[in-house]
Amino acid sequence: MDIMNALLFRDKGRFDLTETDGPGAIGPKDVLIEVKRAGICGTDLHIFRGTHPANPDIILGHEYAGVVAQAGDSVTHLQEGDAVVIDPNVTCGTCFFCRNGMSNQCDALDTGTTLGIFRHGGFARFNVAPSHMVYKAPKDMDMTAAALVEPLSCVLNGVKNAAIQPEDTVVVLGAGPIGLLFTNVLSHLASLLIVSEVDDLRAGKARQFTPHVLDPKETDIGKEVRSLTDGRGANVVVDATGVLMGDALGLVAKGGKVVLFGMNSAHTAAIRPYDITRNEIQVIGTYIANRTVVPAMTMLHQGRIDVEHYVDTVLPLDDIYDGFRRLGLDPETGERTPMDAVKVLVKP
Ligand SMILES: [Zn+2]
Ligand SMILES: [Zn+2]
């Protein structure tokens, strides 16, 4: 493979948009993908800041979709020209968890297998992925929508793990990329949906799905939630930020559920376990996707997620630093920047 431009992770605080060799050798069970769209994720910002692990010198980008440029010799379910989406968390297929319906807990994931985090990912024109993690998309699948399959598949897994029902009253804490997807999906499902978000742009996007978008800087969220729920609190509180478990426990009704989605491995929470036992709260962790890639792809293909409203911009790969700046990080200086986007995609 020729030289191509790519965004590499070098070390904590150091990204490198540079020319690099191709994506690596294509094994018999691999697929060479021409990347069409790749999304910048909050995890990429965590990687930069050192609050999420990653391997040095790998090409970043774990939310991507494209077209098969070449299929390895023993690949049977894909061929050149197929539109595809990628589940980047490469599983082994043979461990206890893979064989018992919990491939998102695959032992191999502990060793770091994720494409775009521990192995080369999608912030480049080409990528090599193991074919069992590559899903054929409908021919007419919009590639911007296809790049959202990964985050949506994780959100759908959270909805499933929490078994959210139509009678539930739900609070979503944070209307970032993940919180907004929860909000979009739950707007079809929860009987009452409340979103807490400090940022105006994000709050505005959430308001499309529910009138109950609260700013915790200006409102007493606990009071508002109780007044909307006959004093009980919400049945389900989703912490889409990863740092608000304590707040979530203050908003949840007796017998309710707190759903933890965040990916900040550096954060610890001070909570009072008594609040959980006394009120019989279920604390539900949810991690990546489990049997939710195809449903996510179908939802996006059917237009059931408002992609246009959700994605702020699609930039050329060469402008990816601008994308990070719009999300609050200048990768060239490491400084924080004013956020003016929620979801930014690049096209290599
Ligand atoms: Zn992500
Ligand atoms: Zn496994």
Side-chain angles (χ1 to χ4, degrees):
M1 190 59 53
D2 307 327
I3 299 287
M4 59 180 189
N5 266 2
L7 180 71
L8 282 87
F9 171 67
R10 293 297 189 192
D11 198 358
K12 180 180 168 182
R14 203 154 69 87
F15 284 176
D16 195 2
L17 181 62
T18 184
E19 287 189 338
T20 175
D21 292 338
I26 307 155
K29 292 180 178 170
D30 292 335
V31 178
L32 177 69
I33 295 154
E34 183 167 9
V35 179
K36 295 295 183 189
R37 294 285 187 280
I40 302 177
C41 173
T43 301
D44 297 318
L45 280 78
H46 279 305
I47 289 170
F48 184 91
R49 294 181 173 130
T51 49
H52 192 289
N55 282 341
D57 304 323
I58 61 99
I59 298 170
L60 291 163
H62 60 274
E63 300 178 357
Y64 58 105
V67 172
V68 174
Q70 189 187 327
D73 289 341
S74 43
V75 176
T76 52
H77 72 293
L78 297 165
Q79 53 187 356
E80 199 183 319
D82 284 345
V84 287
V85 301
I86 293 87
D87 178 353
N89 298 291
V90 180
T91 55
C92 76
T94 54
C95 73
F96 174 87
F97 297 101
C98 280
R99 288 181 162 168
N100 287 277
M102 295 175 70
S103 63
N104 60 328
Q105 297 298 334
C106 170
D107 287 333
L109 296 175
D110 299 337
T111 66
T113 62
T114 306
L115 302 164
I117 296 179
F118 302 106
R119 298 158 63 165
H120 287 331
F123 289 151
R125 183 162 168 218
F126 290 102
N127 170 256
V128 172
S131 62
H132 74 289
M133 305 313 295
V134 181
Y135 292 70
K136 187 171 170 175
K139 255 191 176 30
D140 61 344
M141 183 93 189
D142 171 65
M143 280 291 133
T144 296
L148 305 182
V149 167
E150 196 277 336
L152 181 62
S153 68
C154 299
V155 164
L156 293 183
N157 191 39
V159 173
K160 250 174 64 172
N161 283 343
I164 298 175
Q165 307 288 331
E167 67 263 35
D168 284 327
T169 55
V170 181
V171 174
V172 177
L173 298 175
I178 292 298
L180 275 177
L181 285 176
F182 266 107
T183 303
N184 194 155
V185 171
L186 294 176
S187 67
H188 299 298
L189 185 59
S191 57
L192 174 71
L193 182 58
I194 303 164
V195 177
S196 169
E197 171 59 51
V198 288
D199 179 73
D200 287 343
L201 174 74
R202 294 172 178 217
K205 292 200 182 213
R207 212 162 275 125
Q208 186 194 15
F209 302 111
T210 175
H212 305 294
V213 180
L214 309 173
D215 181 347
K217 289 195 309 295
E218 286 167 8
T219 325
D220 181 340
I221 301 286
K223 208 170 137 193
E224 276 302 311
V225 168
R226 280 190 297 278
S227 86
L228 287 163
T229 55
D230 273 342
R232 291 188 297 273
N235 297 95
V236 180
V237 182
V238 178
D239 175 13
T241 70
V243 296
L244 294 175
M245 183 183 181
D247 297 54
L249 285 170
L251 298 171
V252 68
K254 292 179 191 175
K257 300 169 187 168
V258 167
V259 183
L260 303 179
F261 191 102
M263 285 289 170
N264 186 342
S265 63
H267 173 74
T268 55
I271 54 144
R272 189 170 61 158
Y274 173 81
D275 295 333
I276 296 171
T277 50
R278 169 62 185 83
N279 298 321
E280 296 197 314
I281 305 303
Q282 297 179 54
V283 176
I284 296 164
T286 181
Y287 181 63
I288 61 174
N290 185 17
R291 293 178 287 187
T292 45
V293 174
V294 173
M297 185 158 68
T298 304
M299 274 184 101
L300 283 155
H301 180 241
Q302 296 296 310
R304 298 178 61 73
I305 296 296
D306 190 346
V307 173
E308 251 169 59
H309 191 67
Y310 180 75
V311 175
D312 296 279
T313 183
V314 181
L315 300 170
L317 175 65
D318 289 344
D319 296 337
I320 194 167
Y321 286 162
D322 287 335
F324 276 97
R325 280 188 278 268
R326 293 195 60 183
L327 294 169
L329 168 73
D330 187 335
E332 290 177 295
T333 63
E335 308 272 302
R336 282 183 189 276
T337 52
M339 258 191 308
D340 74 341
V342 177
K343 198 69 186 177
V344 175
L345 269 50
V346 294
K347 47 180 174 185

